[in-house]
Every structure is written in structure tokens, then in C-alpha cells.
Amino acid sequence: MATAMSTETPQRPRRNFYGRFKGKTLKPSQKTYLNEDLAALSPGAVDWESNPERKSLDLDGLFGGKPVWLEVGFGGGEHLVHQAQSNPDIGVIGAEPYINGVAMLLGKIRQAGVENLAVHPGDARDLFDVLPEASISRAFLLYPDPWPKTRHHRRRFVTPEHLEPLAKVLKPGSIFRVATDISDYVRQTLEEVPRAGFEWLAERPADWREPWDDWISTRYEQKALREGRVPHYLTFRRTES
């Protein structure tokens, strides 16, 4: 005897968020970008309020069937726009809850005129909920919040709470890039990312000491270099199982 499928609405998980949503007062031009441009760049219904059933996003409809890349925490958006501009045959989604960074990105999008880009101005975990399984071809985590105090390490992105859903939405064989200037963040990354279903691809020191061929240095990296910290460039591949 066939059983009826459950129609219960998923229960919203309790998710603590520890970063900033807003910083300095936005410039009038940035407010204009947010009011005029942000809605049109939405990847679809991501927030729980607009999508309580957690229906998957239509990435084929969004990007016309192009492969899709994802940047988690895009800061001021330099790298995100660079990748979109350099790869017109790729669709790129950026997730960033810090509204000042979102406003900076929107200004860069206007200037560059890129059209293969979508923006989620919120928690990446909500985006993971609605991305189809094995739909993302490449992911970037660049200079994430280091949470330097030991008691705060559980807040870092490189924890199972974030890495397991990221692994689920990445295609087998896809690349996950992590850049950080914090040595202890490197340690935790090399411990936790392989546990989530990735392999580290480094074969020699240059593979983590030198940036990727298509790299563009961000303002966060320039600050790290000015302050004497050493960037690390870690490349992982999503395993087949």
C-alpha cells in the first residue's frame, strides 16, 4: 500500500549569526545601488520568509544552463566581479550578510557591466538550503572572518555546520579554494575540510604559497600584507563520494 508523501513545511533551524550586518553609514550612491539594483540580482527565493518550503533554486533558468560558481563572504566584491568578468560563460553567485560590502559590490557591478552574477545579501547557510544538490562547479572562501580567540573557533566557516552543506551542493570533482592569512585558520582548514569530503591538492610548497593564476588581490589581502601576515592559498577537490 502506497504511503502519502509528507507535506509538512520544514522547520527553520536555530542558527546563531556572529558577524556584522552593517557598518558605517552608507553613502547616498550606495543606498541607490541597494534600492535600484539588488532585487534584480537575486538568485531567487532564499530567505525562510519568502521560501518556507525550501524549494530549490532554478539555476538553469537563472543562468541559462551555464556552470555555476559560488563565493561565500565576498567582502567588497573585487574577486567576485573579477571572476564574473573573466568568465562570461559561467554564472556566479555571491553570498554576503554585511550590507556595506553588498553595496560596494553593487557599485562595482554597475561599473563593470557584468550580467552573469547573482547576489544573496544574507547567511550562506540559508543559500545552501535551497541550492540543488551537486549544482555548484566551484566555490571560494577568501579571507573569512578569522575569529582568533580559541573559544570562538567554532564560529569559523571551516566547521561541519558550514562545510557539510557546502559539500552537498558542490559537484563531485569541483574545486574549493580557501585563502587566509591566519596560520591557525590554515590548521583548522586542513583538518576540517578533508573530513567534509574534500582532498587537498597541494604537492609542493608553491601550491599554497603562491596565488592562483587567475587571482586578483583583494583589499583584505593588501591589509594583511601591510601588516606582515603571510597569505595561504589552499585548493581542495570535492571527492566522488
Side-chain angles (χ1 to χ4, degrees):
M1 180 177 176
T3 57
M5 294 182 62
S6 173
T7 58
E8 293 183 5
T9 301
Q11 294 297 308
R12 184 171 188 166
R14 295 183 62 183
R15 288 172 174 162
N16 293 323
F17 182 81
Y18 299 101
R20 293 187 299 168
F21 285 106
K22 191 174 183 180
K24 296 179 181 178
T25 302
L26 296 171
K27 300 176 182 178
S29 60
Q30 293 177 325
K31 293 180 181 178
T32 298
Y33 302 152
L34 291 169
N35 291 333
E36 296 183 358
D37 299 352
L38 182 57
L41 292 169
S42 172
V46 175
D47 294 332
W48 280 81
E49 291 77 8
S50 59
N51 185 2
E53 295 84 11
R54 312 315 284 154
K55 295 179 180 178
S56 295
L57 300 177
D58 179 12
L59 298 185
D60 286 341
L62 181 64
F63 292 120
K66 296 176 180 178
V68 181
W69 294 357
L70 171 67
E71 183 168 344
V72 176
F74 53 72
E78 305 99 315
H79 178 266
L80 191 65
V81 171
H82 169 70
Q83 290 293 352
Q85 199 167 28
S86 302
N87 300 280
D89 295 330
I90 299 293
V92 188
I93 301 176
E96 173 62 66
Y98 185 52
I99 200 65
N100 296 63
V102 173
M104 291 176 64
L105 168 70
L106 297 179
K108 293 180 175 67
I109 292 174
R110 278 200 180 194
Q111 184 176 10
V114 291
E115 298 180 350
N116 56 326
L117 200 155
V119 183
H120 169 55
D123 195 327
R125 291 171 295 184
D126 292 337
L127 183 61
F128 295 153
D129 289 342
V130 294
L131 284 172
E133 187 172 342
S135 62
I136 301 300
S137 299
R138 180 168 296 191
F140 307 91
L141 178 69
L142 310 176
Y143 294 96
D145 195 323
W147 294 110
K149 295 181 180 179
T150 301
R151 69 176 183 272
H152 292 160
H153 287 184
R154 60 185 175 82
R155 301 180 181 181
R156 291 174 170 175
F157 185 89
V158 288
T159 56
E161 180 183 4
H162 302 89
L163 292 173
E164 290 174 1
L166 173 65
K168 186 176 180 180
V169 302
L170 282 171
K171 294 181 178 180
S174 60
I175 295 298
F176 176 38
R177 292 179 176 179
V178 181
T180 181
D181 58 299
I182 306 300
S183 58
D184 187 70
Y185 206 103
V186 173
R187 175 201 59 77
Q188 188 171 350
T189 299
L190 293 178
E191 289 178 356
E192 296 293 343
V193 174
R195 292 173 183 168
F198 298 84
E199 59 178 326
W200 186 30
L201 298 183
E203 296 179 349
R204 57 191 185 279
D207 292 337
W208 69 83
R209 292 176 178 170
E210 297 178 3
W212 302 282
D213 291 340
D214 60 351
W215 177 244
I216 179 173
S217 187
T218 68
R219 62 194 180 105
Y220 292 105
E221 179 169 274
Q222 292 303 312
K223 179 181 179 182
L225 292 171
R226 288 195 303 270
E227 296 176 357
R229 295 190 298 276
V230 179
H232 292 73
Y233 309 93
L234 310 176
T235 306
F236 300 89
R237 181 168 53 214
R238 179 73 172 95
T239 56
E240 297 295 325
S241 58

